[in-house]
Amino acid sequence: MFLISFSKLEAQNDSISKSKNSFWKQAAIPSILIGSSLVITNSDFEMHLQQDFGNSDFNTTIDDYTRFVPLAQMYAADIIGIESRSHWFDQTKNATISLLITDFVTTKLKMSIDKTRPSGANNNAFPSAHTAYAFTSATVLYEEFKNTSPILAYSGYAFAIATGYLRIAKDAHWFSDALLGAGIGIAITKLVYHFDYLFAWNPFRKKDNIMITPLYDGQGIGVVGVLKF
């Protein structure tokens, strides 16, 4: 009995150790992004980069939509039956919590840090909220499908990178703004998924024929209900 108990304790300790190592590995990329943004912000390098890629005459609203495309991909995958990590309600819950925290953090930073946009429109450049939302959405998609559909899981980051590029290209943000937004979005979503067991409530777990998803049309937010027959 002593040997069995000791064996179980060793297994538990090994599992905890692996979980910690995995967490710190996942924290590496957002840490690099955030650290890089702090190093290059307001630097000559960033000024020259903006001159090469920014254009105040370039105007598009595509970035208002690309930031949420990964979430649309996730729900489309759910509807056609691609296996995911979580139930659709848990996906929505994690995405909502991640986006709300991301919005809170980026808003507070924008209000606290006085950095002028390349266009000169205002002093709320640092960080890029559009980019933060895009990488939050992309990381939710990644976490849900990384073990079952890797191509789908990684595809969201293409839209996130495109969003960040468009924010720079239209002189709405500097490169460091986009880097910080990306780091924040990834870090917050990773944390939400790491601690998702703390808010595991799901009233729809036994109702697989019902699905409710959020809807954003560029002007407002709503929900869409899907009933499978």
Side-chain angles (χ1 to χ4, degrees):
M1 289 179 62
F2 172 77
L3 290 174
I4 292 174
S5 298
F6 182 75
S7 177
K8 287 182 177 180
L9 182 61
E10 285 292 308
Q12 288 176 353
N13 288 337
D14 185 55
S15 177
I16 293 172
S17 178
K18 287 182 179 179
S19 178
K20 287 182 178 179
N21 290 334
S22 175
F23 177 76
W24 287 115
K25 285 181 180 179
Q26 293 184 66
I29 291 178
S31 297
I32 292 171
L33 291 171
I34 293 171
S36 299
S37 72
L38 297 176
V39 169
I40 69 171
T41 186
N42 293 323
S43 66
D44 291 338
F45 167 76
E46 183 169 59
M47 299 291 181
H48 291 305
L49 198 65
Q50 195 66 37
Q51 291 174 1
D52 293 335
F53 291 97
N55 184 353
S56 57
D57 294 328
F58 177 62
N59 189 23
T60 180
T61 59
I62 295 176
D63 46 316
D64 290 334
Y65 302 94
T66 53
R67 54 182 170 163
F68 296 121
V69 168
L71 294 182
Q73 291 179 274
M74 179 179 70
Y75 291 120
D78 289 340
I79 291 172
I80 64 177
I82 298 177
E83 184 182 356
S84 62
R85 166 178 169 171
S86 311
H87 185 273
W88 66 262
F89 181 81
D90 296 315
Q91 293 174 350
T92 303
K93 182 171 56 181
N94 288 343
T96 301
I97 293 171
S98 299
L99 286 169
L100 287 174
I101 297 175
T102 298
D103 180 70
F104 176 80
V105 171
T106 54
T107 300
K108 287 295 182 182
L109 288 174
K110 281 176 177 290
M111 294 172 61
S112 303
I113 302 172
D114 186 25
K115 185 178 180 182
T116 306
R117 295 178 187 268
S119 64
N122 56 49
N123 296 332
N124 297 330
F126 200 62
S128 166
H130 275 68
T131 308
Y133 301 150
F135 275 88
T136 296
S137 301
T139 306
V140 170
L141 179 69
Y142 171 78
E143 289 295 326
E144 289 298 331
F145 295 100
K146 62 182 179 182
N147 294 324
T148 58
S149 183
I151 294 177
L152 173 62
Y154 282 102
S155 66
Y157 287 113
F159 292 99
I161 292 170
T163 302
Y165 170 76
L166 289 171
R167 299 305 288 170
I168 297 169
K170 61 195 288 188
D171 268 349
H173 283 286
W174 305 90
F175 183 52
S176 62
D177 305 342
L179 284 179
L180 183 57
I184 290 171
I186 295 173
I188 288 174
T189 308
K190 293 285 187 182
L191 283 170
V192 169
Y193 269 88
H194 186 74
F195 295 105
D196 64 350
Y197 62 88
L198 296 176
F199 37 92
W201 175 73
N202 184 341
F204 296 97
R205 192 172 297 281
K206 295 182 180 180
K207 300 177 181 179
D208 293 333
N209 64 324
I210 299 175
M211 180 176 174
I212 300 173
T213 67
L215 171 68
Y216 177 76
D217 62 3
Q219 297 180 341
I221 299 175
V223 293
V224 175
V226 178
L227 179 62
K228 294 182 181 180
F229 294 96

